[in-house]
Amino acid sequence: MQEQYRTLAREGVHEIEINKSRFICALAPVATEAEAQDFIARVRREHPTARHHCFAYVLGADGGIQKASDDGEPGGTAGVPMLQMLVRREMRYVVAVVTRYFGGVKLGAGGLIRAYGGVVGEALDVLGTVVRQRFRLVTVTVDHQRAGRVENELRTTGRAVREVAYGAEVRIEVGLPEADVADFRAWLADATAGAARLELGGEAYGEA
């Protein structure tokens, strides 16, 4: 697995106008191709009279799935520059749809390439990006008497507390960089006088 990847901070829209043509870029974080296709379909429904809905998406922490569509624009002038912008920015798990309302002035191949790639780049700048880090999931099981202090120390030291479940005992799920697991185990034993149990789980990505 990749140690980390960059993705979109939030869904949103950014628009530019070039020679009376409107280029409306809608961006969204997505986990699967199905989610990407659903988002593309949603944008089409929101702009039923637009001439083109070009798209590009990159999925997988390693960017292993990449697709693009010119949707009627001259080949290679829309989807490809959009995809190239996403790849150049090292974006993952993101879909971009650029809706174009033609303004009556032809832009030429070079103009289209600059417009489609450019509006995606501007949209990324406006909406912002986040880095997601690979974590090892660990579950701390501790008695109620110690749980509050343990959870508080985890949060104040910047640990990624993912879930807290209360039952006969308290279970706290934490995301740790793999390299920190041994030190965390020692800290937990010291902080709880050996009363807490630590269980290693799978791997997941969370904000770095």
Side-chain angles (χ1 to χ4, degrees):
M1 293 176 70
Q2 296 281 114
E3 283 302 312
Q4 62 182 34
Y5 67 85
R6 183 176 299 279
T7 192
L8 192 65
R10 59 186 175 89
E11 182 180 317
V13 177
H14 177 69
E15 178 178 345
I16 62 174
E17 184 175 314
I18 301 174
N19 288 344
K20 299 183 180 179
S21 277
R22 295 172 63 201
F23 293 86
I24 306 167
C25 179
L27 285 175
V30 289
T32 64
E33 284 201 80
E35 286 185 17
Q37 293 293 343
D38 286 347
F39 182 75
I40 294 163
R42 192 178 95 199
V43 173
R44 288 183 184 277
R45 289 193 300 270
E46 290 172 356
H47 299 277
T49 62
R51 182 174 292 191
H52 305 285
H53 301 281
C54 307
F55 70 80
Y57 57 80
V58 181
L59 299 173
D62 60 353
I65 299 174
Q66 301 181 6
K67 288 194 177 177
S69 168
D70 295 314
D71 193 38
E73 292 282 29
T77 64
V80 170
M82 291 168 62
L83 180 60
Q84 288 175 337
M85 181 60 70
L86 294 177
V87 172
R88 189 179 310 138
R89 295 290 191 92
E90 300 182 338
M91 297 299 297
R92 303 289 186 264
Y93 293 107
V94 64
V95 57
V97 185
V98 176
T99 298
R100 182 189 181 193
Y101 287 93
F102 183 56
V105 179
K106 291 187 176 181
L107 302 182
L112 289 173
I113 290 170
R114 287 189 295 274
Y116 278 101
V119 72
V120 171
E122 287 188 20
L124 290 172
D125 290 338
V126 169
L127 298 175
T129 62
V130 293
V131 174
R132 296 198 174 276
Q133 177 75 37
R134 182 164 65 98
F135 290 110
R136 167 70 68 180
L137 299 179
V138 302
T139 300
V140 174
T141 303
V142 66
D143 58 66
H144 286 263
Q145 183 179 345
R146 294 179 174 87
R149 184 167 60 83
V150 170
E151 182 184 351
N152 184 60
E153 289 195 29
L154 289 173
R155 294 186 186 280
T156 56
T157 54
R159 300 294 188 185
V161 177
R162 298 168 61 91
E163 185 179 353
V164 181
Y166 294 90
E169 296 177 291
V170 181
R171 292 169 58 86
I172 305 171
E173 187 180 73
V174 185
L176 300 172
E178 190 75 45
D180 290 359
V181 172
D183 285 345
F184 181 80
R185 190 188 295 274
W187 169 83
L188 184 66
D190 184 59
T192 65
R197 302 191 305 279
L198 183 68
E199 178 184 343
L200 294 180
E203 294 179 324
Y205 287 94
E207 284 194 30

